Amino acid sequence: MILFRKAAAASDFLNGRRMSGKSIGFVPTMGALHAGHLSLVEKAKAENNLVVCSIFVNPAQFNDPGDLERYPRPIERDIELLTLAGCDVLLLPSVEDIYPREGLLHLHRYDLGHLEHFLEGRSRPGHFQGVANVVDRLLSIVNPDNLYLGQKDFQQVKVLEWLVAHTGRSTHIVICPILREENGLAMSSRNIRLDASNLEKACIIFQSLQFAAANYQLYAPSELQAICIKHIESIPNASVDYLEFCDTGSFQSVNDWRDAEHIVAVTAVMLSGVRLLDNMLIK
Ligand code: AMP
């Protein structure tokens, strides 16, 4: 695996590979890698000549400075995991390289429409502007044929679909399934901040989504929402930030199951100060 710390050097190298006809798959991450991230690398490997992964803890997408500070950064272990996974190129840029000339203070503003202030965007002001800024910059550096994103961050996928479409890129987005712990909890870099008891009880989030998928036709959306929230909040120290049923296309919430052909249940739960996201296609 070749490691680049400078965006320009990575770009030069990748341009050369592209000129010689190699297809490029790209997996952007914030590190603290787990099997979920590695499943994206594996899929990218199967579908491209060259796999590029980036690790960049993006300050622009953290609205809580404490969360940014506490974000795990086990870089040596990440390098080892990516090497073992057969990743070809690792991009490890500095903040200055991604946001040159005080760029962090003058972020580009994207017109993300309702996605910006809805659900995850409402709870984390500025978060999706930060995500759009960093991914736009990373796409300019890597210029991949295929971009691998996890369904785990469903709203983020919607934002990045918008970004790719509105910046005129030909990059194809590949959405990858959510990898889960044995008990069903969605894998996340933040899970290591949960103690054993919380780790065990957090499976109730997954179980609630499964219940929603199996029984949605028996209830109105608002009734099912209340049942799921109550179930999740039976975990001590858990509070549901949101649990919504959304049209997978428009990402607007539905008031009636007939409102959309495909519906996803999305939730964010604070458990002992740790933010856990999950979602499931229910229709
Ligand atoms: P992050 O490092 O959290 O920014 O995640 C990097 C990429 O990995 C994003 O596209 C995530 O959606 C994806 N990802 C995170 N957790 C999982 C998971 N449990 N299963 C599959 N993909 C995931």
Side-chain angles (χ1 to χ4, degrees), residues 75-130:
I75 190 63
E76 295 305 325
R77 183 167 176 275
D78 285 351
I79 292 174
E80 221 173 282
L81 287 172
L82 287 174
T83 307
L84 284 172
C87 177
D88 300 294
V89 173
L90 171 59
L91 179 59
L92 268 181
S94 64
V95 172
E96 294 69 32
D97 215 8
I98 294 292
Y99 299 108
R101 293 181 297 281
E102 298 192 336
L104 245 186
L105 300 174
H106 307 284
L107 293 179
H108 184 76
R109 272 206 67 77
Y110 300 86
D111 177 15
L112 303 175
H114 88 291
L115 291 172
E116 179 164 359
H117 302 294
F118 184 54
L119 302 184
E120 200 60 16
R122 186 178 53 202
S123 300
R124 305 180 68 188
H127 172 67
F128 286 125
Q129 288 294 336

Side-chain angles (χ1 to χ4, degrees), residues 29-277:
T29 80
M30 297 204 300
L33 303 179
H34 49 68
H37 295 115
L38 298 175
S39 72
L40 272 56
V41 172
E42 197 179 312
K43 187 150 175 63
K45 261 192 90 66
E47 297 177 353
N48 300 272
N49 300 126
L50 206 75
V51 176
V52 181
C53 181
S54 64
I55 296 179
F56 181 67
V57 182
N58 175 29
Q61 72 186 70
F62 285 80
N63 53 316
D64 171 1
D67 191 26
L68 172 61
E69 205 172 297
R70 285 194 299 271
Y71 204 85
R73 292 168 171 86
I75 190 63
E76 295 305 325
R77 183 167 176 275
D78 285 351
I79 292 174
E80 221 173 282
L81 287 172
L82 287 174
T83 307
L84 284 172
C87 177
D88 300 294
V89 173
L90 171 59
L91 179 59
L92 268 181
S94 64
V95 172
E96 294 69 32
D97 215 8
I98 294 292
Y99 299 108
R101 293 181 297 281
E102 298 192 336
L104 245 186
L105 300 174
H106 307 284
L107 293 179
H108 184 76
R109 272 206 67 77
Y110 300 86
D111 177 15
L112 303 175
H114 88 291
L115 291 172
E116 179 164 359
H117 302 294
F118 184 54
L119 302 184
E120 200 60 16
R122 186 178 53 202
S123 300
R124 305 180 68 188
H127 172 67
F128 286 125
Q129 288 294 336
V131 169
N133 268 271
V134 75
V135 175
D136 201 2
R137 175 84 177 115
L138 289 169
L139 289 177
S140 300
I141 297 165
V142 178
N143 195 6
D145 299 278
N146 297 302
L147 171 63
Y148 292 82
L149 301 173
Q151 182 199 316
K152 154 109 186 323
D153 299 279
F154 199 97
Q155 193 170 355
Q156 173 170 282
V157 171
K158 302 310 288 180
V159 166
L160 297 179
E161 280 175 349
W162 181 94
L163 180 79
V164 166
H166 287 78
T167 49
R169 297 184 194 278
S170 56
T171 299
H172 170 65
I173 291 181
V174 182
I175 306 173
C176 305
I178 304 173
L179 251 74
R180 299 180 177 280
E181 304 291 350
E182 242 171 68
N183 69 358
L185 172 65
M187 288 182 180
S188 162
S189 305
R190 289 189 173 89
N191 289 356
I192 55 169
R193 284 166 40 201
L194 294 174
D195 64 21
S197 153
N198 279 331
L199 271 175
E200 191 192 315
K201 295 194 180 102
C203 66
I204 290 179
I205 302 168
F206 172 62
Q207 289 166 2
S208 293
L209 296 176
Q210 276 188 315
F211 176 86
N215 298 288
Y216 76 92
Q217 280 157 318
L218 303 178
Y219 304 94
S222 58
E223 287 172 330
L224 186 58
Q225 183 188 42
I227 292 170
C228 291
I229 291 176
K230 193 166 170 213
H231 188 205
I232 293 171
E233 291 190 340
S234 71
I235 310 172
N237 300 314
S239 89
V240 174
D241 183 16
Y242 59 79
L243 188 145
E244 280 298 327
F245 304 112
C246 295
D247 182 328
T248 57
S250 67
F251 207 65
Q252 303 275 5
S253 42
V254 297
N255 298 313
D256 188 303
W257 303 123
R258 288 167 300 190
D259 283 355
E261 194 180 344
H262 298 292
I263 296 174
V264 61
V266 284
T267 189
V269 179
M270 290 303 292
L271 179 54
S272 296
V274 183
R275 188 172 185 80
L276 302 175
L277 302 190

